[in-house]
Amino acid sequence: MDIISYVSEMPKAELHLHIEGTLEPEMMMALAEKHGVVLPYTTLDEVHAAYNFSDLQSFLDLYYFGASVLRDESDFFDLMWAYLVKCRQQNIVHTEIMFDPQTHTDRGIAFDVMMKGYLGALKQAEAEWGQSFKLIMCFLRHLSQASAFETLGMAEPFSDDIDAVGLDSGELGNPPEKFSDVFAAAAQQGYQCVAHAGEEGPPAYIWGALNSLNVARIDHGVRCLEDDELVAQLVRDQTPLTVCPLSNVRLCVVDEMKDHPILTMLDKGLLVTVNSDDPPYFGGYLNDNFLAMVGGLGLAQDQAKQLAANSFKASFLDEEKKQYFLGALDSF
Ligand code: ADE
Ligand code: ZN
């Protein structure tokens, strides 16, 4: 089997995907029309032209604006459903999906409107084709810890449906330590913990996420390579890093795909995985990330298989399900 077919068809998990970041321009324009939201673009070409980011913040400004077209339960259902159909097409047999409640509750959308839409789509995909999933509720780090605590409280009725808490949004100036109390409370309530760190922020933010937030995984983490002691610890503990190659290129974390350090990270023994982050904003879904690595980095079949195996090992699935998916990958 050629490498393109192999990476496209191999069973894989996705562990770093923001559902609000899967809003395709067509859906954004349709929902804007439905709700009478005026967008600063009138054509798809204009939308694509706006997706020319200089850094994380320039993307986040558009991302939060785009999410403002999501208003009623069916909008949240449709958004989630469209991503789950991609999972089926790309053989993403398990996905751990991040969502940002504050992006909606801060503009007056009720937590349960969002949640019922998302869960409706997830349960339907589970029933129709056995889609495996977990949910990660992220706190926006540019907001206060008090706001994160409020969000944790709103999630209580849905605590059986939410597996983990995470930390996203503008990294620089918002170190992990700002959220140590709310992460401790979330862990106490039984949630797993993850955090974005070392995307734009320095290695100190990765140390902070490990030591102050007790996270089980680091989202991005590419800047760990600037600190040998940190790399040694991440290798020793096999702390997963959910790396997002196309995102890193589009947000200027690296210049070009050929400069991306993901295969160096793999060689060092880090537990790295491949993920799409915010696919339409960054040029593609999970398979597009693998294909970009084939083209830009010469990704080989054994490396692709290792990355897919890592995605199951790094997941929050129980041991039996991990072994099941690893077995499916082995016999693929
Ligand atoms: N929210 C959505 N995508 C993000 C990213 N790449 N970094 C931080 N926050 C985000
Ligand atoms: Zn992210």
Side-chain angles (χ1 to χ4, degrees), residues 124-187:
Q124 190 170 322
E126 186 178 42
E128 279 190 23
W129 64 83
Q131 182 65 50
S132 170
F133 65 89
K134 295 200 179 278
L135 277 177
I136 304 171
M137 179 175 78
C138 286
F139 303 124
L140 298 180
R141 68 201 302 160
H142 68 274
L143 300 179
S144 66
Q145 176 163 250
S147 172
F149 263 114
E150 240 180 87
T151 305
L152 187 62
M154 287 186 229
E156 227 165 90
F158 298 97
S159 60
D160 288 347
D161 296 307
I162 300 171
D163 302 279
V165 297
L167 188 64
D168 63 1
S169 192
E171 189 180 6
L172 291 170
N174 296 299
E177 290 79 2
K178 180 175 162 186
F179 295 92
S180 54
D181 292 343
V182 74
F183 269 67

Side-chain angles (χ1 to χ4, degrees), residues 271-282:
L271 190 67
V272 286
T273 65
V274 180
N275 305 274
S276 68
D277 210 3
D278 305 281
Y281 290 96
F282 299 146

Side-chain angles (χ1 to χ4, degrees), residues 18 56 59-60 63 168-169 196 199 220 247 251 277-278:
H18 301 264
L56 175 58
F59 153 69
L60 290 171
Y63 164 83
D168 63 1
S169 192
H196 284 53
E199 177 185 20
H220 292 293
S247 165
L251 297 186
D277 210 3
D278 305 281

